[in-house]
Amino acid sequence: MAQTINPTRMELIRLKGKLKMAKRGHSLLEEKLEGLMQEFLGIIKKTRSLRQEVEAQLGQAFQSFIIASADMRPEVTEEALAVTTKQIQLQVATKNVMSVQVPQFQYAESGDFLSYSLATTSSGLDTSLKTFSDALPKIVELAQTEHSARLLSAEIEKTRRRVNALEFVFVPEIERNVKYISSKLDEQERGALVSIMRLKEAMQ
């Protein structure tokens, strides 16, 4: 509170320096918040588009698989899906986006998902597994963008709290203390001036 502040010129200079730094920090945090929001909205737009593509592909794949399974005996389907030669490698790194480390997935695959006898299986199974296989890279990319969005969202909330704390609590409190000290120093100067004038009158 202003009443507990020592009303000296040194304290006034210190508080004015602190106020200047706080306002500068507030400005920088506002710029960061704006940049985070732009990045976040871009990722959200990309995520929404990817999710629509992935859901459409998976919907087609499941539909084809259900139809294909109906044309084959259960044991044939199980045998066809038991072994695959397809292998997937996923490398994980991070990328700095406005001080936030977001994931970067590098997807690679080798081999073929068709590792069963085509003579005993339905062509619909080939179609469904091909669709599932084609959807995998987009599923990985979707996981990357969704996790990035969550991390950016958390950073946005944290930055917004800091901006609000500076704008509505920290800066106003310092300004009140500066005003309090300034008024006290003015009172002291006026008191000293009155004392000097009285002393001069007494000497005359």
Side-chain angles (χ1 to χ4, degrees), residues 9 18 33 39 49-50 55 62 65 72 77 82 88 90 102 106 113 123 125 134 141-142 144-145 149 171 178 196 199:
R9 293 198 177 278
K18 194 174 181 181
L33 184 58
E39 291 286 345
S49 175
L50 270 171
E55 287 179 351
F62 278 115
F65 182 78
M72 298 187 300
T77 304
I88 294 172
L90 189 64
V102 299
Q106 191 170 17
F113 63 89
S123 61
L125 182 62
D134 292 343
E141 187 179 1
L142 179 61
Q144 173 184 298
T145 58
V171 169
V178 168
I196 292 172
L199 182 60

Side-chain angles (χ1 to χ4, degrees), residues 22-72:
K23 288 183 175 179
R24 176 60 178 162
H26 178 265
S27 178
L28 291 173
L29 282 173
E30 279 192 324
E31 291 177 7
K32 179 183 178 180
L33 184 58
E34 183 179 349
L36 283 168
M37 286 300 300
Q38 290 178 353
E39 291 286 345
F40 178 73
L41 292 175
I43 288 178
I44 287 296
K45 183 178 180 181
K46 182 178 181 181
T47 300
R48 185 180 295 114
S49 175
L50 270 171
R51 177 164 286 281
Q52 290 174 350
E53 290 181 34
V54 167
E55 287 179 351
Q57 277 189 291
L58 291 180
Q60 293 174 2
F62 278 115
Q63 185 177 19
S64 298
F65 182 78
I66 291 172
I67 295 173
S69 298
D71 291 339
M72 298 187 300

Side-chain angles (χ1 to χ4, degrees), residues 133-153:
S133 180
D134 292 343
L136 273 175
K138 290 181 181 178
I139 292 174
V140 171
E141 187 179 1
L142 179 61
Q144 173 184 298
T145 58
E146 286 189 337
H147 189 53
S148 297
R150 282 193 291 270
L151 292 173
L152 287 173
S153 176

Side-chain angles (χ1 to χ4, degrees), residues 59-102:
Q60 293 174 2
F62 278 115
Q63 185 177 19
S64 298
F65 182 78
I66 291 172
I67 295 173
S69 298
D71 291 339
M72 298 187 300
R73 296 193 308 276
E75 59 271 20
V76 174
T77 304
E78 290 179 11
E79 183 180 352
L81 300 177
V83 180
T84 179
T85 60
K86 183 169 183 174
Q87 294 183 338
I88 294 172
Q89 285 110 21
L90 189 64
Q91 293 183 338
V92 182
T94 58
K95 175 184 176 184
N96 189 312
V97 177
M98 303 294 295
S99 310
V100 182
Q101 297 296 323
V102 299

